[in-house]
Amino acid sequence: MAALSGNFGAEVPQADVTSLTDAALKRILLCLYGQRFLVLRRAGLTKRQFVEFARRVGDPIRLSGDADFPEIAHITNVGIDAKARRLGAAHWHTDQSFRNQVSSVTMLYSIKTPGQGGETQFCDMAGAYAALPESTKRRIEDLTVVHRHGVSVAARPGDHVPIPPKGWDQSATVTHPLVRRHPITGQKTLYAITGTSQGIVGMEQTEAESLLNELCEHAFQDRFVARHKYRVHDLILWDNPTTLHSATPIAAATGADDTRLLHRISLRGTPSVFLDTETAA
C-alpha cells in the first residue's frame, strides 16, 4: 500500500478484489479504517463482481431500480438536467446519517472520467477529534445530535441542497452521538457534524448551532481535508464513521472528454471477515 499525495488516504495497486483471501481483505479494511479512504486499482470489474466484493464488506443498500443489480447506483452527468441533478452531492455530509441505521462503507467504481472536475473531497473526522483540546472533548463527550435530511444548521459555505431519496419523509428525525467509537477499531471520532445535523438534544438551538459550527471550523482545516481525482478503473472505498465527503459540482456531459460515470454501492453492517471477532460497537 502506498500513501497518496494528500493528508490521508492510501492506494492499493493491482488489487484483485475478486480473489482476495479473508486475511488479505482484513488487511485492506484495517488500512481503510486507518487511512479513511482507499484507492484500489482493478481493470474490468463487472457489476456482478463489484456486488460480490461489496457483500464481503457489508450489507448493500438498495440504491436503484436496476432489476439485476439494485445495489448499484449510476452516478453520471450524461443525459441529466444539470441544474437539478449535478449539485445533489455537492455538500459536505456522511452517507445515511439521516437514518437510524447508518452507512459503514461507500464504494465508487470509475467507468468514465472527465478531463476536469468530478472529484470527491474527504474530511477526516477522527483526526479532527484527536486534535481537539481536552476541555472540548470533555464538553462534547456525551452529547447527542439531532439529524434530519436537508440543509444542516452547520452547512459549509458553497454547500448545495441535497436531493432526498424518492418518497423520503423530509420531517423524519433521528439522533446519533456527537462522538462515536468506530464499530471495528473503537477509535473515537466526531460524527456527521454537518450534512444532516440540525441541533443537539437538551441544548438551546443557538448554542447548539454555535457548537456545531465551531467544530466544523476546526475540522475543515486543510490538514484534515483531502481530495481524489478519479482515473478509469479506480475503485474507491471510504469509511463513513470517520469521514465527511463532498462531490465537486460538474456540468452535464457534452462529449467523451467531459463524461463521468461511476458505479456506487453503499453498505451497512459488519464486514464478513470481522463477524467472528469482538467489535468495539
Side-chain angles (χ1 to χ4, degrees):
M1 299 183 187
L4 297 173
S5 59
N7 299 316
F8 52 94
E11 181 173 0
V12 183
Q14 299 177 341
D16 186 358
V17 299
T18 66
S19 61
L20 290 174
T21 65
D22 284 353
L25 177 58
K26 184 177 286 189
R27 288 194 297 271
I28 284 175
L29 290 174
L30 289 174
C31 182
L32 169 65
Y33 303 145
Q35 292 292 331
R36 317 303 176 217
F37 76 98
L38 290 184
V39 182
L40 283 65
R41 298 287 291 160
R42 174 58 164 86
L45 191 68
T46 68
K47 286 185 177 181
R48 185 171 303 281
Q49 290 170 332
F50 190 22
V51 171
E52 288 173 351
F53 171 62
R55 289 190 179 280
R56 298 182 67 193
V57 180
D59 181 23
I61 301 168
R62 186 185 181 97
L63 294 178
S64 72
D66 188 314
D68 295 320
F69 301 101
E71 306 91 342
I72 297 177
H74 292 191
I75 310 300
T76 184
N77 63 340
V78 176
I80 63 169
D81 179 342
K83 290 183 179 180
R85 298 293 300 181
R86 71 183 174 123
L87 304 180
H91 68 291
W92 286 100
H93 64 287
T94 298
D95 286 344
Q96 309 294 316
S97 61
F98 57 91
R99 300 181 188 268
N100 281 313
Q101 189 174 12
V102 297
S103 179
S104 54
V105 171
T106 299
M107 302 179 174
L108 289 175
Y109 182 59
S110 179
I111 308 298
K112 297 180 180 179
T113 60
Q116 294 183 337
E119 299 93 346
T120 300
Q121 303 175 94
F122 300 98
C123 186
D124 177 4
M125 292 286 96
Y129 173 81
L132 285 169
E134 291 302 318
S135 59
T136 303
K137 291 180 181 178
R138 290 192 294 270
R139 177 188 178 194
I140 67 176
E141 178 71 21
D142 298 318
L143 297 180
T144 301
V145 177
V146 177
H147 293 270
R148 187 172 57 253
H149 193 280
V151 178
S152 169
V153 297
R156 299 294 83 202
D159 276 1
H160 296 283
V161 178
I163 300 170
K166 186 176 182 180
W168 183 254
D169 178 3
Q170 289 292 87
S171 67
T173 301
V174 300
T175 60
H176 298 297
L178 174 55
V179 179
R180 292 182 65 197
R181 285 190 179 274
H182 190 279
I184 303 298
T185 68
Q187 183 177 24
K188 285 188 175 182
T189 180
L190 296 172
Y191 180 72
I193 55 176
T194 186
T196 58
S197 58
Q198 305 297 341
I200 296 175
V201 175
M203 186 178 290
E204 291 291 334
Q205 186 64 18
T206 54
E207 183 183 358
E209 292 182 12
S210 176
L211 175 57
L212 289 168
N213 277 285
E214 175 187 329
L215 292 172
C216 283
E217 289 299 318
H218 166 76
F220 284 96
Q221 297 178 71
D222 287 346
R223 59 180 167 148
F224 302 126
V225 176
R227 174 183 292 221
H228 180 67
K229 170 67 175 173
Y230 291 90
R231 301 160 296 178
V232 173
H233 299 147
D234 275 357
L235 173 55
I236 311 300
L237 288 71
W238 67 81
D239 183 42
N240 278 295
T242 57
T243 60
L244 289 159
H245 66 277
S246 174
T248 55
I250 185 171
T254 60
D257 290 342
D258 61 2
T259 292
R260 181 188 194 222
L261 175 59
L262 302 169
H263 289 166
R264 176 177 179 258
I265 296 179
S266 286
L267 302 169
R268 299 185 181 113
T270 303
S272 59
V273 292
F274 291 110
L275 286 176
D276 294 330
T277 60
E278 183 177 355
T279 65

